[in-house]
CSV table of all heavy atoms in Angstrom, one decimal:
chain,number,residue,atom,x,y,z
A,1,GLY,N,1.5,-6.8,-31.3
A,1,GLY,CA,2.2,-7.9,-31.9
A,1,GLY,C,1.3,-9.0,-32.5
A,1,GLY,O,1.8,-9.9,-33.3
A,2,ASP,N,0.1,-9.0,-32.0
A,2,ASP,CA,-0.8,-10.1,-32.5
A,2,ASP,C,-1.3,-9.8,-33.9
A,2,ASP,O,-1.2,-8.7,-34.4
A,2,ASP,CB,-2.1,-10.1,-31.6
A,2,ASP,CG,-1.8,-10.8,-30.3
A,2,ASP,OD1,-0.9,-11.6,-30.0
A,2,ASP,OD2,-2.6,-10.4,-29.2
A,3,GLU,N,-1.8,-10.9,-34.5
A,3,GLU,CA,-2.5,-10.7,-35.8
A,3,GLU,C,-3.9,-11.1,-35.6
A,3,GLU,O,-4.4,-11.9,-34.8
A,3,GLU,CB,-1.9,-11.7,-36.9
A,3,GLU,CG,-0.5,-11.2,-37.4
A,3,GLU,CD,-0.1,-12.1,-38.5
A,3,GLU,OE1,-0.3,-13.3,-38.5
A,3,GLU,OE2,0.7,-11.6,-39.3
A,4,VAL,N,-4.8,-10.4,-36.5
A,4,VAL,CA,-6.2,-10.6,-36.4
A,4,VAL,C,-6.7,-10.7,-37.8
A,4,VAL,O,-6.5,-9.9,-38.6
A,4,VAL,CB,-7.0,-9.4,-35.6
A,4,VAL,CG1,-8.5,-9.6,-35.7
A,4,VAL,CG2,-6.6,-9.3,-34.3
A,5,PHE,N,-7.4,-11.8,-38.1
A,5,PHE,CA,-8.0,-12.0,-39.4
A,5,PHE,C,-9.2,-11.2,-39.5
A,5,PHE,O,-10.1,-11.0,-38.6
A,5,PHE,CB,-8.3,-13.6,-39.6
A,5,PHE,CG,-7.2,-14.3,-39.9
A,5,PHE,CD1,-5.8,-13.8,-39.9
A,5,PHE,CD2,-7.3,-15.6,-40.4
A,5,PHE,CE1,-4.8,-14.7,-40.2
A,5,PHE,CE2,-6.3,-16.4,-40.7
A,5,PHE,CZ,-4.9,-16.1,-40.6
A,6,CYS,N,-9.5,-10.6,-40.7
A,6,CYS,CA,-10.5,-9.6,-41.0
A,6,CYS,C,-10.9,-9.6,-42.3
A,6,CYS,O,-10.3,-9.8,-43.3
A,6,CYS,CB,-9.9,-8.2,-40.5
A,6,CYS,SG,-11.1,-6.8,-40.9
A,7,SER,N,-12.3,-9.5,-42.5
A,7,SER,CA,-12.8,-9.3,-43.9
A,7,SER,C,-12.2,-8.1,-44.6
A,7,SER,O,-11.8,-7.1,-44.0
A,7,SER,CB,-14.3,-9.0,-43.9
A,7,SER,OG,-15.0,-10.1,-43.1
A,8,THR,N,-11.9,-8.3,-45.8
A,8,THR,CA,-11.2,-7.1,-46.6
A,8,THR,C,-12.3,-6.2,-47.2
A,8,THR,O,-12.0,-5.1,-47.4
A,8,THR,CB,-10.2,-7.6,-47.7
A,8,THR,OG1,-9.5,-6.6,-48.1
A,8,THR,CG2,-10.9,-8.3,-48.8
A,9,LEU,N,-13.4,-6.8,-47.7
A,9,LEU,CA,-14.4,-5.9,-48.3
A,9,LEU,C,-15.3,-5.4,-47.2
A,9,LEU,O,-16.3,-5.8,-46.8
A,9,LEU,CB,-15.2,-6.7,-49.3
A,9,LEU,CG,-16.2,-5.9,-50.3
A,9,LEU,CD1,-15.3,-4.9,-51.1
A,9,LEU,CD2,-17.0,-6.8,-51.1
A,10,THR,N,-14.9,-4.2,-46.7
A,10,THR,CA,-15.6,-3.5,-45.7
A,10,THR,C,-15.1,-2.1,-45.5
A,10,THR,O,-14.1,-1.7,-46.1
A,10,THR,CB,-15.5,-4.2,-44.4
A,10,THR,OG1,-16.3,-3.6,-43.3
A,10,THR,CG2,-14.0,-4.4,-43.9
A,11,PHE,N,-15.7,-1.3,-44.7
A,11,PHE,CA,-15.3,0.0,-44.3
A,11,PHE,C,-14.1,-0.1,-43.3
A,11,PHE,O,-13.9,-1.0,-42.5
A,11,PHE,CB,-16.5,0.8,-43.6
A,11,PHE,CG,-16.2,2.2,-43.2
A,11,PHE,CD1,-15.6,3.1,-44.2
A,11,PHE,CD2,-16.5,2.7,-42.0
A,11,PHE,CE1,-15.3,4.5,-43.8
A,11,PHE,CE2,-16.2,4.1,-41.7
A,11,PHE,CZ,-15.6,4.9,-42.5
A,12,ILE,N,-13.2,0.9,-43.4
A,12,ILE,CA,-12.0,0.9,-42.6
A,12,ILE,C,-12.2,0.8,-41.2
A,12,ILE,O,-11.4,0.3,-40.4
A,12,ILE,CB,-11.1,2.2,-43.0
A,12,ILE,CG1,-9.7,1.9,-42.6
A,12,ILE,CG2,-11.7,3.4,-42.4
A,12,ILE,CD1,-8.6,2.9,-43.0
A,13,ALA,N,-13.3,1.2,-40.6
A,13,ALA,CA,-13.7,1.1,-39.1
A,13,ALA,C,-13.6,-0.3,-38.5
A,13,ALA,O,-13.4,-0.5,-37.5
A,13,ALA,CB,-15.1,1.8,-38.9
A,14,THR,N,-13.7,-1.3,-39.5
A,14,THR,CA,-13.6,-2.7,-39.0
A,14,THR,C,-12.2,-3.0,-38.7
A,14,THR,O,-12.0,-3.7,-37.6
A,14,THR,CB,-14.0,-3.7,-40.2
A,14,THR,OG1,-15.4,-3.3,-40.5
A,14,THR,CG2,-13.9,-5.1,-39.7
A,15,ALA,N,-11.2,-2.5,-39.4
A,15,ALA,CA,-9.8,-2.8,-39.1
A,15,ALA,C,-9.1,-1.7,-38.2
A,15,ALA,O,-8.2,-2.1,-37.5
A,15,ALA,CB,-9.1,-2.9,-40.5
A,16,ASN,N,-9.5,-0.5,-38.2
A,16,ASN,CA,-8.9,0.5,-37.4
A,16,ASN,C,-8.6,0.0,-36.0
A,16,ASN,O,-7.5,0.2,-35.4
A,16,ASN,CB,-9.6,1.9,-37.4
A,16,ASN,CG,-9.2,2.6,-38.7
A,16,ASN,OD1,-8.1,2.4,-39.3
A,16,ASN,ND2,-10.0,3.6,-39.1
A,17,PRO,N,-9.7,-0.4,-35.2
A,17,PRO,CA,-9.5,-0.9,-33.9
A,17,PRO,C,-8.5,-2.0,-33.6
A,17,PRO,O,-7.8,-2.0,-32.5
A,17,PRO,CB,-10.8,-1.4,-33.4
A,17,PRO,CG,-11.8,-0.6,-34.4
A,17,PRO,CD,-11.1,-0.6,-35.7
A,18,ILE,N,-8.2,-2.7,-34.6
A,18,ILE,CA,-7.0,-3.7,-34.5
A,18,ILE,C,-5.8,-3.0,-34.2
A,18,ILE,O,-5.0,-3.4,-33.4
A,18,ILE,CB,-7.0,-4.6,-35.8
A,18,ILE,CG1,-8.4,-5.5,-35.9
A,18,ILE,CG2,-5.9,-5.6,-35.7
A,18,ILE,CD1,-8.5,-6.1,-37.3
A,19,THR,N,-5.5,-1.9,-35.1
A,19,THR,CA,-4.4,-1.2,-34.9
A,19,THR,C,-4.3,-0.4,-33.7
A,19,THR,O,-3.2,-0.1,-33.2
A,19,THR,CB,-4.1,-0.3,-36.2
A,19,THR,OG1,-5.2,0.8,-36.1
A,19,THR,CG2,-4.3,-1.0,-37.4
A,20,TYR,N,-5.4,0.1,-33.1
A,20,TYR,CA,-5.4,0.7,-31.8
A,20,TYR,C,-4.7,-0.1,-30.7
A,20,TYR,O,-4.1,0.6,-29.9
A,20,TYR,CB,-6.9,1.0,-31.3
A,20,TYR,CG,-7.8,1.9,-32.3
A,20,TYR,CD1,-9.2,1.9,-32.0
A,20,TYR,CD2,-7.2,2.6,-33.3
A,20,TYR,CE1,-9.9,2.7,-32.8
A,20,TYR,CE2,-8.1,3.3,-34.1
A,20,TYR,CZ,-9.4,3.5,-33.8
A,20,TYR,OH,-10.2,4.1,-34.7
A,21,LEU,N,-4.9,-1.4,-30.9
A,21,LEU,CA,-4.2,-2.2,-29.9
A,21,LEU,C,-2.9,-2.7,-30.1
A,21,LEU,O,-2.3,-3.6,-29.5
A,21,LEU,CB,-5.2,-3.4,-29.6
A,21,LEU,CG,-6.5,-3.1,-28.9
A,21,LEU,CD1,-7.5,-4.3,-29.1
A,21,LEU,CD2,-6.4,-2.6,-27.5
A,22,GLY,N,-2.3,-2.1,-31.2
A,22,GLY,CA,-0.9,-2.5,-31.6
A,22,GLY,C,-0.9,-3.8,-32.3
A,22,GLY,O,0.3,-4.4,-32.6
A,23,ALA,N,-2.1,-4.4,-32.9
A,23,ALA,CA,-2.1,-5.7,-33.5
A,23,ALA,C,-2.0,-5.3,-35.1
A,23,ALA,O,-2.2,-4.2,-35.5
A,23,ALA,CB,-3.2,-6.5,-33.1
A,24,THR,N,-1.9,-6.3,-35.8
A,24,THR,CA,-2.0,-6.2,-37.3
A,24,THR,C,-3.0,-7.0,-37.9
A,24,THR,O,-3.2,-8.2,-37.6
A,24,THR,CB,-0.5,-6.8,-37.8
A,24,THR,OG1,0.5,-6.0,-37.3
A,24,THR,CG2,-0.5,-6.6,-39.4
A,25,PRO,N,-3.8,-6.4,-38.8
A,25,PRO,CA,-4.8,-7.1,-39.5
A,25,PRO,C,-4.3,-8.0,-40.7
A,25,PRO,O,-3.3,-7.6,-41.4
A,25,PRO,CB,-5.8,-6.0,-40.1
A,25,PRO,CG,-4.9,-4.8,-40.3
A,25,PRO,CD,-3.9,-4.9,-39.2
A,26,VAL,N,-4.9,-9.1,-40.9
A,26,VAL,CA,-4.7,-10.0,-42.1
A,26,VAL,C,-6.0,-10.1,-42.7
A,26,VAL,O,-7.0,-10.5,-42.2
A,26,VAL,CB,-4.1,-11.3,-41.6
A,26,VAL,CG1,-3.9,-12.3,-42.9
A,26,VAL,CG2,-2.7,-11.2,-41.0
A,27,PHE,N,-6.0,-9.7,-44.1
A,27,PHE,CA,-7.3,-9.7,-44.7
A,27,PHE,C,-7.7,-10.9,-45.4
A,27,PHE,O,-6.9,-11.5,-46.0
A,27,PHE,CB,-7.3,-8.4,-45.6
A,27,PHE,CG,-7.1,-7.1,-44.9
A,27,PHE,CD1,-5.9,-6.5,-45.1
A,27,PHE,CD2,-8.1,-6.7,-44.0
A,27,PHE,CE1,-5.6,-5.2,-44.5
A,27,PHE,CE2,-7.8,-5.4,-43.3
A,27,PHE,CZ,-6.6,-4.8,-43.5
A,28,ILE,N,-9.0,-11.2,-45.5
A,28,ILE,CA,-9.6,-12.4,-46.2
A,28,ILE,C,-10.5,-12.0,-47.2
A,28,ILE,O,-11.4,-11.1,-46.9
A,28,ILE,CB,-10.2,-13.4,-45.1
A,28,ILE,CG1,-9.4,-13.6,-43.9
A,28,ILE,CG2,-10.7,-14.8,-45.8
A,28,ILE,CD1,-8.1,-14.4,-44.2
A,29,ASP,N,-10.4,-12.5,-48.3
A,29,ASP,CA,-11.3,-12.2,-49.5
A,29,ASP,C,-12.7,-12.6,-49.3
A,29,ASP,O,-13.0,-13.4,-48.4
A,29,ASP,CB,-10.6,-12.9,-50.8
A,29,ASP,CG,-11.1,-12.2,-52.0
A,29,ASP,OD1,-11.8,-11.2,-52.0
A,29,ASP,OD2,-10.8,-12.7,-53.2
A,30,SER,N,-13.5,-12.2,-50.3
A,30,SER,CA,-15.0,-12.4,-50.2
A,30,SER,C,-15.3,-13.7,-51.1
A,30,SER,O,-14.5,-14.1,-51.8
A,30,SER,CB,-15.7,-11.2,-50.7
A,30,SER,OG,-15.5,-10.0,-50.0
A,31,ASP,N,-16.5,-14.2,-50.8
A,31,ASP,CA,-17.1,-15.1,-51.7
A,31,ASP,C,-18.1,-14.4,-52.7
A,31,ASP,O,-18.4,-13.3,-52.4
A,31,ASP,CB,-17.8,-16.3,-51.0
A,31,ASP,CG,-18.9,-16.0,-50.1
A,31,ASP,OD1,-19.6,-14.9,-50.4
A,31,ASP,OD2,-19.1,-16.6,-49.1
A,32,ARG,N,-18.4,-15.1,-53.7
A,32,ARG,CA,-19.5,-14.5,-54.7
A,32,ARG,C,-20.9,-14.6,-54.1
A,32,ARG,O,-21.8,-13.9,-54.6
A,32,ARG,CB,-19.3,-15.2,-56.0
A,32,ARG,CG,-18.1,-14.9,-56.7
A,32,ARG,CD,-18.0,-13.6,-57.3
A,32,ARG,NE,-16.7,-13.4,-58.1
A,32,ARG,CZ,-16.3,-12.2,-58.7
A,32,ARG,NH1,-17.2,-11.2,-58.6
A,32,ARG,NH2,-15.2,-12.2,-59.4
A,33,THR,N,-21.2,-15.5,-53.2
A,33,THR,CA,-22.5,-15.8,-52.8
A,33,THR,C,-23.2,-14.7,-51.9
A,33,THR,O,-24.2,-14.3,-52.2
A,33,THR,CB,-22.5,-17.1,-52.0
A,33,THR,OG1,-22.0,-18.2,-52.8
A,33,THR,CG2,-23.9,-17.5,-51.6
A,34,SER,N,-22.3,-14.2,-51.1
A,34,SER,CA,-22.7,-13.3,-50.0
A,34,SER,C,-21.8,-11.9,-50.1
A,34,SER,O,-22.3,-10.9,-49.4
A,34,SER,CB,-22.7,-13.8,-48.7
A,34,SER,OG,-21.4,-13.9,-48.3
A,35,TRP,N,-20.9,-11.8,-50.8
A,35,TRP,CA,-19.8,-10.8,-50.9
A,35,TRP,C,-19.1,-10.7,-49.5
A,35,TRP,O,-18.3,-9.8,-49.4
A,35,TRP,CB,-20.5,-9.4,-51.2
A,35,TRP,CG,-21.0,-9.3,-52.6
A,35,TRP,CD1,-21.3,-10.2,-53.5
A,35,TRP,CD2,-21.3,-8.1,-53.3
A,35,TRP,NE1,-21.8,-9.7,-54.7
A,35,TRP,CE2,-21.8,-8.4,-54.5
A,35,TRP,CE3,-21.3,-6.7,-52.9
A,35,TRP,CZ2,-22.2,-7.4,-55.5
A,35,TRP,CZ3,-21.7,-5.9,-53.8
A,35,TRP,CH2,-22.1,-6.2,-55.1
A,36,ASN,N,-19.3,-11.6,-48.6
A,36,ASN,CA,-18.6,-11.6,-47.3
A,36,ASN,C,-17.5,-12.5,-47.3
A,36,ASN,O,-17.2,-13.2,-48.3
A,36,ASN,CB,-19.7,-12.0,-46.2
A,36,ASN,CG,-20.7,-10.9,-46.0
A,36,ASN,OD1,-20.3,-9.8,-45.5
A,36,ASN,ND2,-21.9,-11.1,-46.2
A,37,MET,N,-16.8,-12.7,-46.1
A,37,MET,CA,-15.7,-13.5,-45.9
A,37,MET,C,-15.9,-14.9,-46.6
A,37,MET,O,-16.8,-15.6,-46.2
A,37,MET,CB,-15.2,-13.6,-44.4
A,37,MET,CG,-13.9,-14.4,-44.3
A,37,MET,SD,-13.5,-14.6,-42.5
A,37,MET,CE,-13.0,-12.8,-42.0
A,38,ASN,N,-14.9,-15.3,-47.3
A,38,ASN,CA,-14.9,-16.7,-47.9
A,38,ASN,C,-14.6,-17.7,-46.8
A,38,ASN,O,-13.4,-17.8,-46.4
A,38,ASN,CB,-14.0,-16.8,-49.1
A,38,ASN,CG,-14.0,-18.0,-49.8
A,38,ASN,OD1,-14.1,-19.1,-49.3
A,38,ASN,ND2,-14.1,-18.0,-51.2
A,39,PRO,N,-15.5,-18.6,-46.4
A,39,PRO,CA,-15.2,-19.5,-45.3
A,39,PRO,C,-14.1,-20.6,-45.7
A,39,PRO,O,-13.2,-21.0,-44.9
A,39,PRO,CB,-16.5,-20.4,-45.1
A,39,PRO,CG,-17.6,-19.4,-45.7
A,39,PRO,CD,-16.9,-18.7,-46.9
């Protein structure tokens, strides 16, 4: 029932374990500077 924020530009293995625990991922977009999560 929990939600976990997670980078969206990544391999699915980042988010799969969230679902193993019955939680739901919420995805955050990237920035242009690093291609990683936009702070």
Side-chain angles (χ1 to χ4, degrees):
D2 287 336
E3 289 186 323
V4 175
F5 282 10
C6 175
S7 305
T8 191
L9 190 61
T10 182
F11 182 50
I12 196 169
T14 300
N16 276 344
I18 298 171
T19 69
Y20 298 167
L21 295 168
T24 300
V26 174
F27 300 113
I28 309 294
D29 200 4
S30 301
D31 61 28
R32 295 282 183 183
T33 302
S34 70
W35 292 18
N36 287 299
M37 184 184 288
N38 187 317

